[in-house]
Amino acid sequence: MKRTLCAILALSFVLTLSSMAFTFEHLDRDDLFSPEVIEQEKVSEWAKEEIDKAIDAGLVTEHTSDYMTKDITRFQFAELAVNFAEKATGKEVTPAAADTFTDTSDETVLKAYAAGIINGVGDVKTFAPDDTTNREQIALMLYRAAQYVKNNGGKAIPDMGTDISKYTDRDSVSLWAKEAVGALANNGVMKGSSDTTLSPAASCSKEQSIILVYRLYEVVK
């Protein structure tokens, strides 16, 4: 009896399915995802190739893996720089004391400070992790990260000089950043925002920062 009932139910299910018409409609990405999700996933077309390579190399970090067109914060760049330093040396950085800064005790920031990559702002006990940063500030932090790599068994940046006289806005580069900007520019890491300008005070997005880190990694790996 049970077998007969099961057979009848199965046949009924098959007949029901056979009478149904299925249609499939192509949906655009905008229909599948909210504007927020699309913005979160967006990477500029010009950046995609190097971003993909940076991801493959393990250079994209937890807090730089989304909203890549947004300006990067000091904390996020510290995370990128420390990750770069550890990958380039194969060694983990020992963090500074937890009370180094009054506004953050994040281990990544403390590692960046211990490695000489970052300093405090204004009051040296303040790091301002959520503040955004600019191209010349990032150049200095990245240059310091490269020096850390060299001093800890890694490969040094080739000595290509620090001259930036070919850039029309060279006088806009702060004195404290000229060596770093020059070294990175002359090694093809920090390319000008055009063939003749560096735009040192311009903001820097996550994707731009990741690309700088990737290019430097290719130089010293």
Side-chain angles (χ1 to χ4, degrees):
M1 179 66 178
K2 289 182 179 180
R3 290 183 180 179
T4 302
L5 180 59
C6 288
I8 292 171
L9 290 174
L11 179 59
S12 175
F13 180 68
V14 170
L15 290 173
T16 300
L17 285 179
S18 65
S19 66
M20 296 175 64
F22 293 94
T23 60
F24 296 91
E25 180 181 356
H26 173 74
L27 295 177
D28 291 335
R29 188 170 185 267
D30 289 3
D31 296 325
L32 292 171
F33 299 109
S34 69
E36 172 71 11
V37 171
I38 293 170
E39 180 66 25
Q40 181 178 351
E41 297 292 329
K42 186 167 65 177
V43 177
S44 298
E45 191 65 35
W46 60 265
K48 285 181 180 179
E49 182 178 352
E50 286 180 295
I51 291 292
D52 286 343
K53 290 177 180 178
I55 292 171
D56 290 342
L59 297 172
V60 177
T61 57
E62 177 184 357
H63 296 97
T64 59
S65 61
D66 56 8
Y67 297 104
M68 288 194 181
T69 60
K70 290 186 178 294
D71 290 347
I72 197 165
T73 66
R74 284 169 53 79
F75 161 69
Q76 290 163 344
F77 193 81
E79 184 181 66
L80 278 179
V82 167
N83 182 59
F84 156 78
E86 291 184 337
K87 286 196 174 297
T89 60
K91 303 171 186 176
E92 187 171 348
V93 179
T94 301
D99 62 352
T100 298
F101 297 111
T102 58
D103 56 352
T104 182
S105 59
D106 183 87
E107 184 177 78
T108 297
V109 174
L110 298 176
K111 284 184 175 185
Y113 181 80
I117 296 170
I118 58 99
N119 290 319
V121 296
D123 173 6
V124 295
K125 295 288 285 183
T126 302
F127 177 64
D130 297 326
D131 285 1
T132 56
T133 186
N134 63 29
R135 284 169 58 85
E136 67 176 6
Q137 292 168 347
I138 280 175
L140 181 59
M141 288 186 279
L142 199 52
Y143 186 55
R144 288 171 175 169
Q147 291 176 316
Y148 173 85
V149 169
K150 179 188 70 174
N151 294 332
N152 286 270
K155 183 180 174 182
I157 298 178
D159 184 6
M160 304 295 288
T162 59
D163 179 58
I164 55 173
S165 60
K166 72 176 184 178
Y167 296 103
T168 58
D169 59 351
R170 57 190 175 276
D171 292 335
S172 298
V173 180
S174 300
L175 183 61
W176 48 263
K178 284 185 182 294
E179 181 180 359
V181 170
L184 296 183
N186 292 333
N187 275 281
V189 175
M190 177 168 274
K191 299 176 181 178
S193 53
S194 72
D195 290 339
T196 58
T197 58
L198 288 163
S199 303
S203 60
C204 204
S205 66
K206 288 183 187 179
E207 62 186 5
Q208 290 170 327
S209 301
I210 290 167
I211 287 172
L212 291 176
V213 170
Y214 168 72
R215 289 174 181 166
L216 183 59
Y217 183 72
E218 286 295 294
V219 170
V220 303
K221 74 176 183 179

